[in-house]
Amino acid sequence: MAPPSPPAPLPPAGRARSQRRVPWRRRRSSPSRPALRARRLRAPHGRDCIPRRAPRPAALRPSMRRARRGAARGGCPRMPPRQREPRRGPGAPPRPAPPAATRPAALALVTLLSFASRFHRLREPPHVCWDETHFGKMGSYYINRTFFFDVHPPLGKMLIGLAGYLSGYDGTFPFQKPGDRYEQHNYVGMRGFCAFLGSCLVPFAYLTVLELSKSLPAALLTAFILIFDTGCITLSQYILLDPILMFFLMGAVLSMVKCNSCADRPFSASWWFWLSLTGVSLAGAMGVKFVGLFVVLLVGLNTIYDLWDLLGNLSLSLVMFGKHLLARVLCLIFLPLALYTAMFAVHFAVLNRSGPGDGFFSSAFQSQLIGNNLHNVSVPEHLAYGSVVTMKNLRMAGGYLHSHWHLYPEGVGARQQQVTAYLHKDLNNLWIIKKHDSDTDLSDPSSPVEFVRHGDIIRLEHKETSRNLHSHQHEAPLTRKHFQVTGYGINGTGDSNDFWRIEVVGRRTGQLIKVLRSQVRLTHVATGCVLGSSGKTLPKWGWEQVEVTCTPYLKETPNSLWNFEDHINPKLPNISLDVLKPSFAEILLESHMVMIRGNSGLKPKDNEVTSKPWHWPINYQGLRFSGVNETDYRVYLLGNPVIWWLNLVTIGLYLLITVATAVALKRGVQLTSELKELSRVVLHAGGQITLGWLLHYLPFFMMGRVLYFHHYFPAMLFSSMLTGITWDALLKFCAGFLSPSTTARKVYGGGFLALVLLILYSFYLFHPLSYGMIGPMASHPSSPMAGLRWMDSWEF
Amino acid sequence: ELKRGTGRGGGAASDRMLGFLKEPVVVTAKINVSLVALTVMGLMSRLWRLCYPRAVVFDEVYYGQFVSLYMKRIFFVDDSGPPFGHMLLALGGYLGGFDGNFLWNRIGAEYSINVPVWTLRLLPALAGALCVPLAYQILAELHFSHCAALGAALLILLENSLITQSRFMLLESILIFFILLAVLSYLKFYNLQKHSSFSGSWWFWLLLTGVACSCAVGVKYMGLFTYMLLLATAGLHFWHMIGDQNLSNVSLLCHFLARALALIIIPMGLYLSFFYVHLALLYRSGPHDQIMTSAFQASLEGGLARITQGQPLEVAYGSQITLRNVLGKPMQCWLHSHTNTYPIRYENGRGSSHQQQVTCYPFKDVNNWWIVKDPGMQQLVVSNPPRPVRHGHIVQLVHGITTRYLNTHDVAAPLSPHSQEVSCYIDYNISMPAQNLWRVEIVNRESDTDVWKTILSEVRFVHVNTSAVLKLSGASLPEWGYRQLEVVGEKLSKGYHQSMLWNVEEHRYGKSQEQKEREVELHSPTQMDISKNLSFMAKFTELQWKILTLKNEDTEHKYSSSALDWITMDTNIAYWLHPTSGAQIHLLGNVATWASANAAALLYLCLSLWYLLRRRRRIYDIPEDAWQLWMAAGGICGGGWAVNYLPFFLMEKTLFLYHYLPAVTFQILLIPVVLQHLSDHLCRSVLLKSMFSALVVAWFSWVYFVYCTFSPLTYGQPALAPAELRALRWKDTWNILIRKQ
């Protein structure tokens, strides 16, 4: 065992960091290292035992300070007792020093409870619940290798698919709508996988809090809060992305905190391990949902703070600082990026068959998918007069330029033939490119081929109805400020309003126009407006197809850009579309654009009641996971109200404590060493966690998309950790005022016990929310939940 | 070297009464001539030929209608911001004796004789002119040299976009004036802090900061950004004071309270007072009434107040009522029914109950009347004494004209198949029983025994059999329903939403026993005699909420732009075009200034980063006080730019170039800061210094040249030939109007 360290004066708070940070070379040769290493090998959770940059916060009386280094290892399992017990004298504030075996035992207990609570009644209900209909279906798509589109990055769904595949699910269940029974299909594997990851959150949070506050009660409180929160249990029990996201998120936070603790031994194996694990977790979090970005921000801010600290350390040479910087760039930027790219590579490699997501992607992309009509076809590359073509709008799900034998109804512009955008492939999407000034039969094989060039003035004739694409200064049916687009003329003979100038984005006059690749703009010659699709759906008379207008606002948006998809011209040689194969970088970029647009497209409709961010922390309204009626098996996602309101109150308390502490420190109030230690935990550890909470909560106020209650759960994890830290500090602070140590200990222990009992009792009350209720609704007196509907907005 | 203070009396006589007779009266005055000259130049540049063009220019068409409404005292709601700016514009109209009679219908329309164009445009122009001396003083208060301050003022003076925006009836120049005033007063206050806390001038500047901030916020919500910046600055400065051990706790508390009073309480009070004046001025009902709740409308003279005057307050069994949906979206409407029935089969093949339609109808109509009936009694008149309906009571609602009962049942609604159809029950003898009992739930009740009140109570109707809630779905029915709005029974009511709330608007106690008599009674207008008085706070809360939440439909505008276009000025706005000569006015910045401002901001950022990193390694390139100056100037000017610009990236509304003007003003102030720093600290030798000065002079003449070049587009005169206009089109993206020959 390491000998007790010589007495060292406690550094003042301001200088503490730089003093503790000894250059690593010297530290490596310090005499205590071998002993440490030996202990680490024996300890079951060795990583806990590395010497910490920060000293143990547990309220130490002054005489204990002499043994600070020793005490810092107090959590290590084989601490000799003489360093702890005998030194506690009368008048000392309580020190919840756990016996040697407590920590691993506590971790084991917490983990066990967590797994038990998440896996309990995992099979129930044996039907599709809530968003399982999406994510289960997407897992099936991976097993069937069918291409689909989703607004989230692929990792989460790939993992679900993998879990299903490994557990023997064959991908045949349709996941049509919530409430469909699984029957013989094996769904437990996928649920079990999510429950497993969800169970890991508790030990992760436990270890994070332990690392930050060095206080076992704080960590235990956090763990109990998360174990017995009905919301966290429910969200972990189904095939959803959230447990996967939160797993990576908490993994990143834990590794970040662990890595910070290794800061006094940079470039050691464990330092590298935690640093790269942070990077891996970040990639995972980003790969599941874009909200993972918030934890990336958290880690980024922490890293900047860290680097700033290192830069101010003059004993560190600039070369060393460069190494630090490089290591972080490598592990926190390049490694996650590489992993993130790799998961998209796997995603595209696995999904190689045409499926329901094709229409969202560009023509070039579609040519990659087996079964798509663009796959393995060959078309002439350059457009010529007389070609028969289809034009696809470049906005997401933009549709093909379309016309049909129907007129605009009375009162909607001129009563001419409708022109729309149509999402499906159809003969009415075909148009013939003609010269504007001659109507010679271009299909005559003897006439020479004449290519269409950038800047040419053309006429587009609808193949089925022989009307020309036409526009004029009548207002468009829905977008009143745009002009109406119609089909006009008989057998191709119209007027000068049928002339369009064809331009390719970023080209010069005279260049040829390529199929699929050229982004084309059609400018109406007479009025100067540009052909575009507004994206609005026409009423019944327009067969609910998408409106096409001519916009006088010359803005470069995908709405007014088109590309040519099909191209038929027997006089031209065909080339294979493989020549046009998009590169992986292009595919990656395109899929991100589509995802981002899809996300921002999820706008709430008018009159729709949506969840507001301010609802969440007060547990205002839950989500119905399964069942509506009295006879149904009902599961309702709602946080344990006692826990959530405790969390809410704690945030206010924490702010008060922080302000008081910060002002006291700034005013130069002389604090005892215990209080100093406590204030460090409150300001530093609490600050880190609060930052996490803010980063995972505030951005939702600025989002325009539809929001749901479950978006709050990542923030709730941080909030729970803050609760653990704050109440521990608060109780210690209160206990510190009581003079006999026994009373102080009683107050501390009693307060802690009361909180735990409160949590347990509230869980006993509300557990049917997660584990299912059958029978009358809560408003009925005979219901098991009778009297528990504390807010009118809860629906169970 | 520069001191302010004009007309400061230096008379020595004070002790003896007649002392002044023995000594000559001496008045010494120090006048900063450059400041006066700048003010005069500012006034000249902004006020020169202010009446030209005598036509509606750009957004005058928008603000003008509000000025007219103020003149006529007619109530309106403008969702673009709080009313202080509008009131200032109206003040101009009031001073000029404007009677409000002008039709603001299109840009370019000639003003008639009765419109006092000069006074209407005067206040914005004055505000714009005063920005020039303000810029000078801000730099002086930041402890920069006279030359730097002069440079800043001249750059503001020669900024074409600020001139254009100041010369018309628009709000930006007023906003910028108040923002700069707030910044200046805070700086003055802060500089006084060191020697003379709690002195008279200390209080004056502190209070002026708060007042200017609330005025800025009162003009446009954009002012909030600068307010926040100043609050943060004040917070930071106070935080430093906390660390000062020389200050006692008590004096610290006094300092804190003084700041809280001046920077938070007073601005809030002033902001409220703007609304108070606004509501006091506008007491007549007008075109925007219908956005507001019935209670609010009833408080306005004319309009609803005339109809609802003297209605009985408490709804009783037998009351005849009209029910208005509280949401008011997509339009205000009243619960309605008529003899037509739902089609047996809808177009998509789904069936209906074929009972009488119930809709929500946006116009007043006799078919909007309903009678509240006690399910246990047959009579449809109010007994004597009336039995009021309370929260939780179960009622039937009888349609007045057709005497059918409001009903809902487990049949899918026509357009929202997840909800129940609501109908007036017709008994077809097909085993579909009447389910016409509704529980009245007063949502804004104070106790559970509250009485259902006319106009004031917001009520949910919960269907007794199915616990569905009567709701406006917002969809409009097809031809068979006369495009009226669909009303449904919402089964899974997710919380409270305004579309489920209804209030009684018109109300009278029914007297007629017979249906024929009743029809006559329903057709006759209601008339009774109490008026509803809302408290100011209730009115304020409602109006404020409406201003914040009212959403105009997403309008695309020819000159709208994205925030990214502004920084390089890739966009312009055509404000006005002469109908014949081709003279035109554009909002177009001084290219030279904008480019230099961008360069200055970039340089500032790079230099700061460089210094910061070096200081962290304990290498001090510039003296400590120079560093403090540099950071303070950057905090105010750079920070002002950032807070007034970056938030626009998060906004989804239609954006225009003029939104960038407050930000660009701050950015321009950064130019002399950077220039002086370069000359003081980076030009080490005398030769370098003089070369640098020469460069600055050359650069400044370039700024002046660009100002002159574009001044025809700024002032709208003289008219330019097409070739000259083409030559002014320095960027392809600028939309300068060139007439086809």
Side-chain angles (χ1 to χ4, degrees), chain A residues 102 119 146 179 219 221 237 259 285 359 372 411 424 428 469 482 498 544 649-650 687 788:
Chain A
T102 312
F119 277 88
T146 314
L221 187 61
Q237 285 197 312
C259 182
N372 189 289
H424 301 276
N428 272 327
L469 187 74
H482 293 184
D498 303 345
E544 289 171 354
V649 171
T650 308
L788 290 177

Side-chain angles (χ1 to χ4, degrees), chain A residues 308-318 321 479 481-482 540 551-553 555 603 606-609 620-621 624 628 659 662-663 665-668 702-704 792-793 795, chain B residues 239-245 247-249 252 327 329-330 347 445 471-475 492-497 499-500 555-558 560-561 612-613 616-618 650 652:
Chain A
W308 186 246
D309 213 42
L310 288 175
L311 188 66
N313 181 0
L314 288 187
S315 62
L316 208 65
S317 72
L318 272 183
F321 177 75
T479 317
K481 288 189 170 177
H482 293 184
K540 286 260 168 55
T551 162
Y553 309 122
K555 295 257 175 61
K603 290 267 163 64
D606 278 349
N607 286 353
E608 201 177 47
V609 188
Y620 179 74
Q621 203 171 36
R624 231 186 275 264
V628 178
V659 170
V663 169
L665 287 178
K666 187 83 182 171
R667 286 299 286 168
M702 286 181 276
M703 283 189 197
D792 278 347
S793 46
E795 304 147 314
Chain B
W239 183 245
H240 291 316
M241 283 174 72
I242 291 181
D244 183 359
Q245 308 288 344
L247 282 169
S248 70
N249 285 344
L252 212 54
L327 179 65
K329 271 181 233 166
E347 285 164 30
R445 63 181 183 270
K471 178 190 170 185
L472 172 71
S473 80
L492 307 173
S493 59
K494 288 215 181 80
Y496 295 110
H497 192 256
S499 60
M500 298 173 192
T555 47
E556 200 178 3
H557 194 279
K558 189 170 181 188
S560 66
S561 47
L612 213 58
L613 290 177
R616 190 72 188 155
R617 300 298 292 184
R618 315 273 194 284
L650 300 174
E652 286 179 1

